[in-house]
Short mmCIF file of all heavy atoms in Angstrom, two decimals:
data_model
loop_
_atom_site.label_atom_id
_atom_site.label_comp_id
_atom_site.label_asym_id
_atom_site.label_seq_id
_atom_site.Cartn_x
_atom_site.Cartn_y
_atom_site.Cartn_z
N ARG A 9 120.52 0.93 152.46
CA ARG A 9 119.20 1.23 153.02
C ARG A 9 118.24 0.10 152.67
O ARG A 9 118.21 -0.39 151.54
CB ARG A 9 118.71 2.56 152.48
CG ARG A 9 119.64 3.70 152.88
CD ARG A 9 118.99 5.05 152.71
NE ARG A 9 119.90 6.11 153.09
CZ ARG A 9 120.14 6.51 154.34
NH1 ARG A 9 119.49 5.93 155.34
NH2 ARG A 9 120.98 7.48 154.59
N ALA A 61 112.15 9.96 168.33
CA ALA A 61 113.04 11.11 168.26
C ALA A 61 114.00 11.13 169.44
O ALA A 61 113.72 10.58 170.51
CB ALA A 61 112.22 12.40 168.22
N SER A 172 120.70 -14.08 163.20
CA SER A 172 120.63 -12.64 162.94
C SER A 172 121.56 -12.37 161.77
O SER A 172 122.76 -12.13 161.94
CB SER A 172 121.07 -11.84 164.17
OG SER A 172 120.16 -12.03 165.23
N ALA A 527 151.32 -16.43 140.10
CA ALA A 527 151.10 -15.01 139.82
C ALA A 527 151.91 -14.56 138.62
O ALA A 527 151.44 -13.72 137.83
CB ALA A 527 151.45 -14.19 141.05
N ALA A 599 165.74 -39.79 133.44
CA ALA A 599 164.45 -40.07 134.08
C ALA A 599 163.31 -39.28 133.45
O ALA A 599 162.21 -39.28 133.96
CB ALA A 599 164.54 -39.76 135.57
#
Side-chain angles (χ1 to χ4, degrees):
R9 299 196 180 279
S172 295

